Amino acid sequence: MASVPSLAVSGGAAAASASFPAAARADARRQPPSSVAVADKVGNSNGRSIQVAQNSGGMEAPLRPLDAEEAMGMLREGKTVRSAMYVPLLHRCVEAGSLDDARAVHGHMVKTGTGADMFVATSLVNAYMRCGASRDARTMFDRMPEKNVVTWTALITGYTLNSQPVAALEVFVEMLEDGRYPSHFTLGATLSACSASENVGLGKQVHGYTIKYGAEWITSIGNSLCRLYTKSGSLESAMRTFRRVPDKNVITWTTMISACAEDENFVELGLTLFVDMLMDGVMPNEFTLTSVMSLCGIRLDLNLGKQVQAFCFKIGCETNLPVKNSTMYLYLRKGETEEAMQLFEGIDDVSIITWNAMISGYAQIMETAKDDLHARSRGFQALKIFRNLKRSSLKPDLFTFSSILSVCSAMMALEQGEQIHSQTIKTGFLSDVVVNSALVNMYNKCGCIEDATKAFVEMSIRTLVTWTSMISGYSQHGRPQEAIQLFEDMRFAGIKPNEITFVSVLSACSYAGLVDEAERYFNMMKEEYKIEPVVDHYGCMIDMFVRLGRLDDAFSFIKRTGFEPNEAIWSSLVAGCRSHGNMELAFYAADRLLELNPKGIETYVLLLNMYISTGRWHDVARVRKLMKQEDLGILRDRSWITIKDKVYFFRANDKTHEQSDDLYQLLENLLEKAKTIGYEPYQNAELSDSEDDEKSAAGSLKHHSERLAVALGLLQTPPGATIRITKNITMCRDCHSSIKFFSLLANREIVVRDSKRLHKFKDGRCSCGDFSSLL
């Protein structure tokens, strides 16, 4: 064991009262705090001994260093020491985290009557707190006949370190009531307790106290105040305090920069503070640079990130793990996956935080990928990294599980999601509200509403996110009554809905055609919860009127509320008017839509299909011309299906699969049977991956990607198994209609999640109620 601080030990009480020359006492005070020294007649050790007068003949003998075990053994034998020499030994107990040794020292103090010494007793209070024994510390504190400000501060600091900030604040109040005046160390410790307990009110009172007694200018106090305000979300108050600190150190700057990195609205302020810090001559540390790299990640500024990375090399902290993690995450966010992987593979001691950064980074870039192929590729990479993590010596934590479940949700990877579900049960993380919320969302996105409901019901704690996800799930699965009832249950439980929750409940009302309830919730949102409607809320109301065929009411609602419909709402109106056969209003909505110069290629295909179906060929030519002017390219139709952990990919008119002939033959048979029970083909615009493909629209209908995926699912999965497909664009009207008939003919549940919503086909019906923005 390492040596402990210097301690002069003698043979008994008589030796303790022996003469101690002034020079020797001075030397003893200068003894380096790295060893315990004891009188030894044999010799010295490393020239670091001190001289004490011995009883035999006044000869001076050297003191030799003792290790901690030897020193503790001598104390247990009843050797007598000077009271001040307990302090360095207690420091060693703190360093070793040895509560047993601290109690042994305490026992020796009681035996020798040293416990009454305020200086030593205060050190013991501190040692108990640092070793996690807050009850022992409080008992010792209460038994002390005298206490000074250091004693009170040790107790306050200790409670905060032991995650008992409320107890720390109670001690501070008790101190003031006892007529004691806190030092700036006490005030700093109290402010830390206020931060930890989120007691901003008391923190502000302490702030006033520091101003009254002129302590605000002290750097450590300023740092504590900045931390208090940033943690409470009051960055403006933190900035005012920050500016009043005259001597800002690296902690001051880092506290503010880190706070800016946690709020994307203050990215520019954080980077400005970093520049000011350098201009002020303060050298950043690894914590500063980690936060600055995070700011670059939020800003998606790779050039600036590379400059910060070069600065890390310059000051020698490029190997610091948090710095590497934030740098790696920046590369991932910018899609520079090769560079990120090189950094990852170059880390010798990979922590779980590093693994999580890789998985969550790939999950993030799935949302910003340039197309669906790249998005799925990133998702597969995230699943591969998760698999490698399980093979390593580290274990996934709640952040790992929540991130990888979000990947499964995006990819509709139900089998992988179910495997991860079982792992959360084995590891005990299923009880965590974040993991459980991600699990509910995953089952909802994969079309498993019963499993989502089971996971939701089994949750002991539910957050607003969980309630909203479940309400949305019911709405998406065509179960509006359950969605509305759950919304009311949430309000009864005292959970305050947000604007996303209202989108879900209004969507449920739209599906069920509950006009009165929808208008009540719409008004409740504005009047009771003071939430201003946004486009999504207006869109739900219009969608409801259109579903019911009340097209005039839909346009009246737009006029009455005065909001400006966006591309999605006009598209919905076009689809709805066309569906109800009111082509006059459909053409009007189409003109308003084109006035917005839409950028989405699906919008133009929607218009093309409408004009083709009505034979308005001059409008078809006009839309095609606009598409060329906007350089929108081709609408690429792609679908995926997973069968036995293998993913199959289809394009429109795809014939690359080895069972291609069987797939097309099965589709021909199904379409013929569907026609006998009411299926009528729609004529749609061509969906192709080639601009040179000039096949007829009618001839291409049976070859859309999702129908090929359905055919493969019917061929390769056992009877009765659910078929799950993801599609990169909105389903066309013909595929939507035909797959309804397929579900009836094959007696299968078929789930298709397109770019707009989830479609659950069963017994010839769809969960969308046969109305959505179909192409």
Side-chain angles (χ1 to χ4, degrees):
M1 183 180 285
S3 59
V4 297
S6 179
L7 187 74
V9 183
S10 60
S17 61
S19 61
F20 199 96
R25 288 197 298 272
D27 286 343
R29 284 193 296 271
R30 290 194 297 269
Q31 180 76 4
S34 59
S35 63
V36 175
V38 63
D40 192 337
K41 295 182 181 179
V42 179
N44 60 19
S45 175
N46 299 325
R48 299 202 300 175
S49 61
I50 61 174
Q51 301 296 318
V52 297
Q54 300 294 320
N55 289 334
S56 55
M59 295 294 291
E60 292 185 344
L63 297 179
R64 65 179 178 81
L66 298 177
D67 63 23
E69 290 183 4
E70 192 175 358
M72 293 302 301
M74 296 184 71
L75 289 184
R76 292 188 182 100
E77 291 171 7
K79 305 280 183 165
T80 303
V81 300
R82 299 181 185 279
S83 61
M85 296 305 173
Y86 285 108
V87 177
L89 193 53
L90 286 170
H91 281 312
R92 179 65 188 97
C93 295
V94 171
E95 291 174 0
S98 176
L99 178 60
D100 290 339
D101 284 349
R103 285 173 172 164
V105 174
H106 186 188
H108 193 273
M109 289 166 56
V110 173
K111 283 183 181 180
T112 58
T114 314
D117 186 304
M118 183 174 64
F119 177 61
V120 178
T122 298
S123 295
L124 184 60
V125 169
N126 177 66
Y128 274 142
M129 279 297 191
R130 301 278 175 169
C131 292
S134 55
R135 288 186 179 179
D136 291 354
R138 180 72 207 209
T139 301
M140 183 65 197
F141 176 85
D142 291 337
R143 290 176 179 174
M144 290 175 64
E146 293 184 32
K147 308 175 186 73
N148 62 10
V149 67
V150 178
T151 316
W152 289 94
T153 303
L155 196 65
I156 294 169
T157 303
Y159 274 128
T160 304
L161 289 174
N162 283 285
S163 302
Q164 296 174 273
V166 175
L169 297 177
E170 290 172 353
V171 173
F172 176 69
V173 173
E174 184 183 341
M175 176 185 179
L176 296 180
E177 291 174 346
D178 199 44
R180 303 303 180 100
Y181 289 95
S183 68
H184 70 274
F185 296 108
T186 319
L187 294 173
T190 304
L191 286 168
S192 295
C194 290
S195 297
S197 62
E198 299 182 356
N199 192 335
V200 183
L202 182 58
K204 289 180 177 179
Q205 293 180 48
V206 176
H207 188 181
Y209 192 98
T210 64
I211 295 172
K212 181 178 179 180
Y213 290 98
E216 190 186 26
W217 60 270
I218 299 173
T219 302
S220 60
I221 295 292
N223 293 346
S224 298
L225 286 168
C226 288
R227 195 177 303 112
L228 169 72
Y229 288 125
T230 56
K231 191 171 182 181
S232 67
S234 181
L235 199 59
E236 292 181 3
S237 298
M239 280 300 301
R240 285 196 295 269
T241 303
F242 171 79
R243 293 190 182 100
R244 286 197 291 265
V245 179
D247 297 318
K248 301 176 181 67
N249 60 16
V250 65
I251 298 173
T252 322
W253 290 98
T254 302
T255 299
M256 296 306 302
I257 293 171
S258 300
C260 293
E262 294 174 3
D263 190 333
E264 60 183 19
N265 295 316
F266 295 98
V267 172
E268 297 304 322
L269 174 60
L271 294 172
T272 301
L273 287 172
F274 178 61
V275 174
D276 291 344
M277 175 185 183
L278 298 178
M279 296 293 290
D280 207 37
V282 179
M283 181 61 67
N285 59 21
E286 63 270 22
F287 302 105
T288 322
L289 293 168
T290 300
S291 296
V292 173
M293 196 63 79
S294 297
L295 289 167
C296 296
I298 298 170
R299 196 186 187 192
L300 295 178
D301 193 334
L302 186 58
N303 291 332
L304 183 58
K306 288 182 176 180
Q307 293 180 47
V308 176
Q309 187 181 14
F311 187 84
C312 293
F313 277 95
K314 183 178 180 180
I315 65 173
C317 69
E318 75 282 356
T319 59
N320 180 270
L321 191 56
V323 173
K324 272 196 168 184
N325 289 343
S326 55
T327 305
M328 184 178 65
Y329 191 70
L330 169 62
Y331 278 116
L332 281 174
R333 289 292 306 276
K334 288 295 291 182
E336 303 288 339
T337 54
E338 292 184 6
E339 289 81 355
M341 190 58 71
Q342 286 177 2
L343 280 172
F344 177 73
E345 293 173 349
I347 299 175
D348 296 327
D349 188 17
V350 179
S351 70
I352 188 62
I353 297 174
T354 312
W355 286 100
N356 289 344
M358 288 295 290
I359 294 171
S360 63
Y362 275 106
Q364 287 273 345
I365 60 177
M366 285 183 71
E367 301 174 3
T368 58
K370 63 182 181 180
D371 56 45
D372 210 62
L373 272 178
H374 283 81
R376 295 188 71 85
S377 172
R378 304 299 185 254
F380 286 129
Q381 188 64 37
L383 289 170
K384 180 180 177 181
I385 293 170
F386 178 73
R387 185 174 64 248
N388 292 338
L389 166 61
K390 290 193 297 178
R391 294 172 179 170
S392 73
S393 59
L394 296 174
K395 302 297 181 184
D397 62 10
L398 65 95
F399 300 105
T400 320
F401 285 122
S402 60
S403 294
I404 199 64
L405 282 171
S406 71
V407 172
C408 294
S409 299
M411 298 179 65
M412 207 175 178
L414 178 62
E415 291 183 19
Q416 290 84 350
E418 288 176 331
Q419 293 171 18
I420 293 165
H421 184 181
S422 65
Q423 291 169 36
T424 64
I425 296 173
K426 292 178 183 177
T427 56
F429 282 109
L430 185 60
S431 59
D432 182 84
V433 65
V434 176
V435 174
N436 224 324
S437 297
L439 191 66
V440 169
N441 185 59
M442 186 274 295
Y443 280 126
N444 275 331
K445 293 290 182 68
C446 290
C448 302
I449 189 65
E450 288 78 14
D451 291 321
T453 302
K454 185 174 184 294
F456 177 82
V457 169
E458 291 175 352
M459 292 180 70
S460 57
I461 300 174
R462 302 183 184 103
T463 64
L464 174 61
V465 173
T466 318
W467 286 96
T468 301
S469 177
M470 199 65 232
I471 294 169
S472 175
Y474 280 132
S475 178
Q476 287 276 316
H477 283 78
R479 295 165 71 165
Q481 296 300 336
E482 285 105 319
I484 294 169
Q485 183 58 54
L486 192 61
F487 177 77
E488 293 297 340
D489 291 344
M490 183 190 77
R491 294 179 65 224
F492 183 76
I495 306 297
K496 184 179 178 181
N498 63 10
E499 64 180 36
I500 301 173
T501 319
F502 275 105
V503 170
S504 298
V505 75
L506 288 173
S507 177
C509 293
S510 169
Y511 180 91
L514 302 174
V515 177
D516 292 340
E517 286 80 355
E519 291 179 341
R520 181 170 67 87
Y521 287 130
F522 191 82
N523 292 329
M524 176 194 296
M525 175 181 66
K526 294 190 295 181
E527 296 169 7
E528 183 175 342
Y529 293 101
K530 309 302 179 186
I531 298 174
E532 286 299 317
V534 296
V535 171
D536 289 340
H537 301 120
Y538 291 118
C540 290
M541 297 297 289
I542 292 171
D543 181 80
M544 175 184 63
F545 288 124
V546 172
R547 280 176 180 270
L548 295 171
R550 294 167 56 174
L551 303 177
D552 291 334
D553 289 338
F555 283 93
S556 296
F557 180 81
I558 294 173
K559 187 176 181 180
R560 184 173 72 252
T561 54
F563 86 100
E564 292 293 332
N566 62 3
E567 182 177 333
I569 291 178
W570 283 122
S571 297
S572 177
L573 284 166
V574 169
C577 293
R578 178 188 173 195
S579 176
H580 289 290
N582 192 330
M583 300 312 298
E584 182 180 353
L585 283 178
F587 296 145
Y588 171 81
D591 289 338
R592 302 291 78 74
L593 180 57
L594 288 172
E595 288 175 359
L596 297 178
N597 293 319
K599 303 301 180 184
I601 188 171
E602 288 189 52
T603 302
Y604 288 97
V605 174
L606 171 69
L607 295 174
L608 278 176
N609 285 331
M610 182 182 69
Y611 291 135
I612 289 172
S613 65
T614 55
R616 293 170 65 104
W617 303 109
H618 66 285
D619 287 321
V620 171
R622 178 165 64 105
V623 172
R624 290 192 184 278
K625 182 178 179 181
L626 288 172
M627 291 176 69
K628 287 185 178 181
Q629 290 175 354
E630 295 291 338
D631 194 23
L632 294 176
I634 298 298
L635 182 63
R636 302 186 185 280
D637 170 30
R638 291 164 177 163
S639 293
W640 291 261
I641 182 172
T642 302
I643 301 174
K644 295 180 180 179
D645 285 334
K646 186 174 181 180
V647 179
Y648 297 90
F649 163 71
F650 289 97
R651 296 183 176 90
N653 307 312
D654 201 335
K655 293 187 178 181
T656 58
H657 193 274
E658 58 185 10
Q659 290 184 279
S660 180
D661 292 340
D662 295 334
L663 297 180
Y664 281 91
Q665 186 59 53
L666 177 59
L667 282 175
E668 290 288 349
N669 294 339
L670 286 172
L671 288 170
E672 287 302 318
K673 290 180 180 179
K675 288 177 183 178
T676 64
I677 56 175
Y679 164 65
E680 294 182 2
Y682 288 89
Q683 188 180 28
N684 288 301
E686 177 71 18
L687 297 181
S688 172
D689 281 342
S690 171
E691 293 186 12
D692 298 327
D693 194 345
E694 297 296 340
K695 295 176 184 177
S696 67
S700 71
L701 290 178
K702 68 188 71 172
H703 307 316
H704 287 179
S705 64
E706 65 268 41
R707 288 212 290 215
L708 291 168
V710 168
L712 182 67
L714 292 172
L715 283 176
Q716 293 197 1
T717 59
T722 299
I723 297 171
R724 290 182 171 82
I725 296 163
T726 53
K727 182 176 172 68
N728 68 322
I729 59 174
T730 307
M731 291 184 72
C732 75
R733 295 165 63 88
D734 185 70
C735 286
H736 187 272
S737 176
S738 61
I739 293 176
K740 282 199 305 177
F741 285 97
F742 294 172
S743 70
L744 180 63
L745 291 167
N747 193 26
R748 294 285 196 105
E749 183 177 85
I750 302 172
V751 179
V752 180
R753 199 176 79 198
D754 66 16
S755 61
K756 294 286 178 65
R757 64 171 300 142
L758 182 139
H759 301 269
K760 196 169 186 178
F761 301 94
K762 188 175 182 181
D763 299 328
R765 299 176 182 271
C766 179
S767 60
C768 75
D770 291 343
F771 179 83
S772 59
S773 298
L774 299 173
L775 294 179

